[in-house]
Amino acid sequence: MSKISAPKGTRDILPPETAAWQHAEKVFADVCSRYGYQEIRIPTFEQTELFQRGVGDTTDVVQKEMYTFDDKGGRSMTLRPEGTAGVVRSYLENGMASLPSPVRLFYNITAFRYEKMQKGRYREFHQFGCEVFGSEGPIVDAELVSLLDLYFRELGLKETSLRINSIGCPVCRAEYNQKLKDYLAPHLDALCETCQSRYDRNPLRIIDCKETSCKPIVREAPALLDNLCPECQTHFDGFCKHLEELEINYTIDKGIVRGLDYYTRTVFEFVSEHVGTQGTICGGGRYDGLVEQVGGQPTPGIGFALGVERLLMELEQQQAAMPGPARPSIYIAALGDAGDQARKWTWKLRSLGIRAETDLMGRSLKAQMKYAGKQSFRFSTVIGDDEITAGKIRLKDMNEHSESEVSFEQAEALLADHQKQQG
Ligand code: HAM
């Protein structure tokens, strides 16, 4: 029979790479908890309408990239292309709006977008994200960015730059949209077909278009940052000031409008030179109208999502020190009929928290020791009738090439101690 391969745009994450993923996940959860974020887990698929309303039906994500299907009951469902809409839905559905503000949530999810394959761009990918509800002022914006800054520092990630912008509120956006349309009107025929359809419905999306026909036109377009209302300008100035207080470097990039419709005011991205054409490791921003859009009371919100594949690619490029898989502690070889005893002691060691293995393959003693050497166990021992009668084993330190005779209890204490040091 022919072999079945993984679907295009997906990838298996195998050991030893999984150890780096576990480390990135652990440090993220740890940093989030220091900032008062608690983990939320949301469904992989949602009603399609949530993304149409939340992410916006003029975005590339909704128009071109969603994995949408009818379930057996004829309801339209979509594999989540991102986490924010689902978190907002859950926040409302589970009454979190009545919790004391701010409500801080973090997540670690897979997301699905039917995109063209490129380095750092997948159809199934992973995101670490944070969302915080209930705080309108720019302090929370800076705090969120500082969480990322700390996370990157703890992972040893350097050479990323923070780009920030403001895309205003519905008031200044409406005025700006008119200005943008006036500018675009003489170029309308030269825009791509998608942008022509966006001209009336959502002209801001044209700024984000990657088509070569649109790029030169967009380059000369007026910037939203130069057209903010006084309230949005004050908010943006406050954001910059708080970043400076926290000694976080940033660059103002008037071209960042983000690819999703829910953003208001603050938007930001962390970019790197290394992740192919997909230089954005992380993107986020404020979405003060989204909770209302999904059916709740007006509630300010802000968040980000970090592409985990891109983060790990970047760490590898920068040769950041990442832990490998935990080294197994002890291999217990069985001599003659002592297999039962070897297995029994192995189970006991595991219950004491020690990484221990014994033979499952019916191998000869020589083959067992060869296996132990290949798997880089730190210690090994052989259990036979003599060891059981004497209550003592010879514990071999495979690093030091030394041996010591110890009781089972002494070995247990020594191994537990060794493993504690290893973590
Ligand atoms: P986004 O910019 O669409 O924002 O995605 C965030 C990050 O996910 C990107 O910066 C990138 O690292 C990663 N990413 C996106 N698409 C792919 C892909 N096809 N393959 C690999 N990585 C990818 C959001 O998703 C928003 N929900 C972020 C947010 C949260 N804004 C506010 N709260």
Side-chain angles (χ1 to χ4, degrees), residues 130-315:
C130 282
E131 312 293 350
V132 43
F133 299 93
S135 181
E136 197 174 5
I139 298 176
V140 66
D141 306 32
E143 187 195 79
L144 195 68
V145 169
S146 80
L147 182 155
L148 279 163
D149 185 67
L150 179 62
Y151 178 54
F152 292 155
R153 272 191 284 135
E154 296 211 352
L155 284 183
L157 184 76
K158 300 178 206 105
E159 299 163 35
T160 53
S161 66
L162 167 66
R163 310 269 170 90
I164 64 167
N165 192 19
S166 172
I167 57 168
C169 63
V171 176
C172 45
R173 185 105 44 90
E175 281 177 29
Y176 168 78
N177 279 347
Q178 193 48 54
K179 220 177 206 175
L180 181 62
K181 282 170 80 173
D182 293 345
Y183 163 79
L184 290 171
H187 306 283
L188 203 53
D189 289 343
L191 294 176
C192 75
E193 226 173 90
T194 315
C195 283
Q196 288 182 12
S197 74
R198 286 166 170 166
Y199 180 81
D200 281 320
R201 294 174 68 198
N202 192 351
L204 187 64
R205 284 272 71 80
I206 299 173
I207 299 282
D208 204 31
C209 185
K210 308 282 183 294
E211 292 293 329
T212 37
S213 55
C214 300
K215 272 186 176 171
I217 302 169
V218 163
R219 213 171 291 136
E220 305 299 321
L224 221 172
L225 191 66
D226 298 328
N227 290 278
L228 296 179
C229 64
E231 290 77 15
C232 288
Q233 187 64 53
T234 305
H235 193 278
F236 185 67
D237 294 342
F239 177 43
C240 296
K241 188 184 104 199
H242 294 307
L243 287 178
E244 283 153 29
E245 277 167 11
L246 293 164
E247 297 180 11
I248 294 172
N249 293 328
Y250 65 88
T251 306
I252 295 175
D253 183 342
K254 295 179 186 177
I256 296 180
V257 292
R258 310 278 302 128
L260 314 168
D261 270 356
Y262 44 65
Y263 293 110
T264 53
R265 293 187 166 169
T266 306
V267 285
F268 62 88
E269 292 181 349
F270 277 88
V271 292
S272 122
E273 303 300 306
H274 301 121
V275 194
T277 48
Q278 307 303 311
T280 312
I281 294 181
C282 171
R286 188 162 269 289
Y287 45 81
D288 292 343
L290 181 60
V291 173
E292 206 176 349
Q293 193 72 24
V294 177
Q297 294 299 313
T299 309
I302 181 167
F304 68 78
L306 174 69
V308 187
E309 285 80 3
R310 294 186 193 177
L311 170 74
L312 287 160
M313 275 167 69
E314 186 61 22
L315 285 164

Side-chain angles (χ1 to χ4, degrees), residues 333-339 341 382-392 408:
L335 184 65
D337 296 333
Q341 303 290 343
V382 179
I383 293 189
D385 289 343
D386 290 351
E387 282 73 19
I388 293 157
T389 315
K392 283 185 175 170
F408 283 96

Side-chain angles (χ1 to χ4, degrees), residues 348-368:
K348 180 171 182 202
L349 289 178
R350 289 169 177 166
S351 73
L352 296 173
I354 294 158
R355 290 186 286 273
E357 273 189 52
T358 190
D359 181 48
L360 296 180
M361 307 297 293
R363 288 188 172 110
S364 69
L365 183 61
K366 195 173 160 204
Q368 289 183 56

